[in-house]
Amino acid sequence: MSGNNQLGVLKALDVAKTQLYHFTAIIIAGMGFFTDAYDLFSIALVTKLLGRIYYHKVGAEKPGTLPPEVAAAVNGVALCGTLMGQLFFGWLGDKLGRKKVYGITLIMMVVCSVASGLSFGNNSKGVMTTLCLFRFWLGVGIGGDYPLSATIMSEYANKKTRGGFIAAVFAMQGFGILAGGIVALVLSSIFDYQFPSPIYSVDPYASTVPQADYLWRIILMIGALPAAMTYYWRMKMPETARYTALVSRNIKLAAQDMSKVLQVDLKADKEIAENKATDPKLNYGLFSKEFLKRHGLPLLGTTSTWFLLDIAFYSQSLFEKDIFSAIGWIPKAATMNAMHEVYKIARAQTLISLFSTIPGYWFTVLFIDIMGRFAIQIMGFFFMTVFMFALALPYDHWIKPDNRIGFIIIFSLTFFFANFGPNVTTFVVPAEIFPARLRSTCHGISAAAGKAGAIVGAFGFLYAAQSKDKNKTDAGYPPGIGVKNSLIMLGVINFVGMLMTFLVPESKGKSLEELSGENVNDETASSKASLSRRN
């Protein structure tokens, strides 16, 4: 079907000039991702502190740490919740509409961010149980934000700059991670000034002041603020014209809504009745034969590439502690008090955000509508593969003290090209290539596959990367295959991700209806819209 058979109101969206409302939508949707990143990554800033407070052992040479099963639960429960939220709210966004569901996810994030800082009881079991409970539901709300924000931005944008707009929403994650680091830096400095304490090796008990129990709670609860500030504006956003026109089949309302927000006059000559019969070829369901014929391979491509990318992306936590120690960012725990340790970890996260994470995101924003999604994703996976093998094959060379700087540079480049590459494009493409009535669902499925990969990367490789020598493993962990072999596996995973990218169609410069096959034919096109610029 040709682009000439596209509904007028949708064609007007595709050719509309970039204007203030596009940037307003980026901020409104992007603040959700700002909050998502703050909430997901802030837990890494306080896990060491939680270990000192709740798992201190009298007479131990080192500060207390979270047991492996507790650490896995605290860090992983939000990822599990995110996976469920992506599937459920993705489906709900297609059934009820993007706007109706959009506010629900934000309320969940606000309530659960605050509740994460509360506790049932003051012992370790009660605190960890409460934290895990509310972080799971926080994850569900965060998960819902993925398909809804991507779909809403996709359906509002013009086709010329759509990729950059969707990528900009996702890139707000970088600022969320940065904000988490800055908040922890400021608060830990204030607490350290107000409640000075000796380092652990001098006085193990006094090195963690009682007020430290407030610090981690405040850091987590602050995550509710940006979400709460955004709620009003999310509720003011109208339903997207594509959902109203193609799913609700109300062309007149779609034209009215877009006239208000895009500052153009859109007049529908006739309104398609809500229950008007449609072309059965365009009314197929999810996973029907027609869907699999049209979209089966692209869906396999978006799910598999996101799954493989997140295995590699989330496995970076395995090597961060070695890198931070090598360059002196994080001294040995016994040489710091509790506040110093939070400060050092936050400083490391802040520096990584500034010089690696954020630049990679915004390189993609700048170039995605020039280079295209396919080229950026292939390039990203290719360089991630090259750099992983460059770390793995001469690993014994890199671990020598004189060679650690080279390891750090290659490691940083690996994740620069993850962000200037598949970490962004895997988010963008599923919001573009599927039909409007299934778009949010398919994005949710793709994102959930990514979070399954994140769970594998964050926890599967945490065990796999343990030393083969049981005497050299981290406390509580069984022997694994070692860091070198783990890096080789990750290199292979990135290479497979590059191959699976060939299943994903290029969407640069094309309308959503052209990509999904939803351009209406002459029998069903009972409405034409005329566009005139307001005076």
Side-chain angles (χ1 to χ4, degrees):
M1 297 180 184
S2 69
N4 293 331
N5 290 327
Q6 185 184 21
L7 287 173
V9 64
L10 306 185
K11 188 173 182 180
L13 282 172
D14 278 340
V15 301
K17 292 183 179 179
T18 300
Q19 52 194 276
L20 178 62
Y21 191 77
H22 287 115
F23 295 103
T24 303
I26 290 173
I27 297 298
I28 294 172
M31 284 306 291
F33 271 88
F34 179 98
T35 303
D36 296 348
Y38 182 100
D39 289 335
L40 282 179
F41 288 89
S42 62
I43 193 65
L45 301 171
V46 299
T47 49
K48 295 288 188 183
L49 180 60
L50 291 171
R52 284 179 180 255
I53 296 171
Y54 295 106
Y55 293 91
H56 172 72
K57 293 181 180 179
V58 178
E61 293 183 0
K62 299 179 180 179
T65 58
L66 298 180
E69 65 277 5
V70 176
V74 169
N75 288 291
V77 70
L79 294 177
C80 296
T82 302
L83 189 154
M84 292 188 61
Q86 288 164 335
L87 291 173
F88 177 70
F89 285 109
W91 169 79
L92 205 61
D94 284 333
K95 292 297 179 183
L96 301 182
R98 290 53 159 137
K99 179 183 177 180
K100 290 181 180 178
V101 184
Y102 209 25
I104 298 173
T105 61
L106 208 63
I107 291 173
M108 289 186 68
M109 285 191 281
V110 171
V111 172
C112 294
S113 290
V114 174
S116 294
L118 306 177
S119 301
F120 299 142
N122 57 5
N123 59 22
S124 59
K125 185 176 181 180
V127 172
M128 295 302 126
T129 300
T130 307
L131 182 60
C132 288
L133 171 65
F134 287 115
R135 282 193 65 79
F136 172 81
W137 289 107
L138 172 64
V140 173
I142 290 172
D145 222 45
Y146 273 72
L148 294 171
S149 290
T151 301
I152 286 172
M153 195 67 247
S154 173
E155 293 179 345
Y156 270 128
N158 60 55
K159 64 183 181 181
K160 183 179 179 181
T161 57
R162 185 180 61 236
F165 286 169
I166 305 172
V169 170
F170 191 69
M172 293 295 287
Q173 279 194 335
F175 292 116
I177 298 170
L178 177 64
I182 292 173
V183 167
L185 280 172
V186 173
L187 290 178
S188 61
S189 298
I190 293 173
F191 272 68
D192 189 46
Y193 178 78
Q194 292 293 331
F195 312 106
S197 60
I199 63 175
Y200 184 88
S201 59
V202 172
D203 190 337
Y205 182 77
S207 68
T208 305
V209 295
Q211 292 82 3
D213 197 38
Y214 293 106
L215 176 60
W216 70 267
R217 299 174 190 273
I218 295 171
I219 290 173
L220 296 184
M221 294 169 79
I222 284 176
L225 291 179
M229 292 167 60
T230 311
Y231 180 79
Y232 171 78
W233 297 107
R234 280 200 179 188
M235 293 300 95
K236 292 282 287 182
M237 292 179 74
E239 183 58 83
T240 69
R242 286 184 159 90
Y243 185 88
T244 304
L246 297 175
V247 182
S248 298
R249 305 216 162 270
N250 191 336
I251 305 295
K252 184 176 181 180
L253 181 60
Q256 290 174 348
D257 287 342
M258 290 306 98
S259 293
K260 295 176 183 177
V261 299
L262 293 180
Q263 298 182 355
V264 295
D265 286 332
L266 290 166
K267 298 178 181 179
D269 295 331
K270 295 181 181 179
E271 181 181 353
I272 295 181
E274 187 173 346
N275 296 319
K276 181 177 176 62
T278 60
D279 186 344
K281 291 183 179 180
L282 299 180
N283 203 28
Y284 49 84
L286 185 66
F287 301 132
S288 64
K289 288 183 178 180
E290 188 67 23
F291 175 87
L292 293 176
K293 177 182 175 182
R294 291 170 176 255
H295 305 292
L297 287 178
L299 182 61
L300 175 61
T302 58
T303 53
S304 61
T305 52
W306 207 335
F307 174 78
L308 295 166
L309 175 276
D310 272 9
I311 291 177
F313 190 77
Y314 279 81
S315 69
Q316 67 178 309
S317 60
L318 304 179
F319 318 110
E320 282 181 352
K321 66 176 188 285
D322 298 325
I323 292 171
F324 294 162
S325 298
I327 59 178
W329 284 357
I330 302 181
K332 293 181 179 180
T335 65
M336 299 180 285
N337 64 30
M339 299 304 172
H340 291 162
E341 189 169 39
V342 173
Y343 180 89
K344 297 289 187 181
I345 294 171
R347 185 182 66 175
Q349 178 168 302
T350 301
L351 290 172
I352 288 174
S353 299
L354 280 173
F355 297 108
S356 179
T357 304
I358 292 175
Y361 279 133
W362 288 95
F363 262 72
T364 304
V365 173
L366 291 174
F367 290 105
I368 192 169
D369 288 310
I370 299 172
M371 296 174 60
R373 290 71 160 148
F374 179 83
I376 289 178
Q377 187 159 310
I378 285 286
M379 176 191 70
F381 270 127
F382 172 78
F383 282 112
M384 290 175 71
T385 302
V386 170
F387 291 134
M388 280 293 185
F389 282 127
L391 292 174
L393 298 179
Y395 182 71
D396 294 334
H397 167 80
W398 293 123
I399 60 177
K400 296 177 182 178
D402 292 340
N403 301 325
R404 289 288 182 90
I405 297 300
F407 183 94
I408 294 164
I409 292 172
I410 295 177
F411 178 85
S412 300
L413 286 171
T414 302
F415 291 97
F416 171 81
F417 280 105
N419 290 320
F420 183 29
N423 191 38
V424 178
T425 54
T426 52
F427 175 81
V428 172
V429 175
E432 299 180 302
I433 63 176
F434 299 108
R437 67 184 179 285
L438 302 173
R439 184 170 292 134
S440 180
T441 301
C442 290
H443 193 285
I445 292 171
S446 302
K451 278 298 168 282
I455 293 169
V456 172
F459 304 109
F461 275 87
L462 185 59
Y463 285 85
Q466 295 297 319
S467 173
K468 298 177 182 179
D469 185 349
K470 64 180 181 180
N471 296 319
K472 296 181 179 180
T473 61
D474 293 338
Y477 289 92
I481 62 175
V483 173
K484 179 176 181 177
N485 290 330
S486 295
L487 285 169
I488 291 173
M489 287 184 64
L490 291 171
V492 173
I493 287 169
N494 288 324
F495 180 73
V496 176
M498 183 173 65
L499 296 180
M500 297 303 290
T501 298
F502 286 92
L503 296 176
V504 182
E506 177 58 73
S507 51
K508 184 185 79 168
K510 298 178 182 178
S511 74
L512 297 182
E513 290 68 46
E514 181 182 356
L515 289 163
S516 63
E518 288 177 294
N519 286 337
V520 294
N521 57 30
D522 292 336
E523 284 81 19
T524 57
S526 60
S527 174
K528 296 181 180 179
S530 59
L531 171 64
S532 62
R533 182 66 56 183
R534 278 183 182 163
N535 296 326

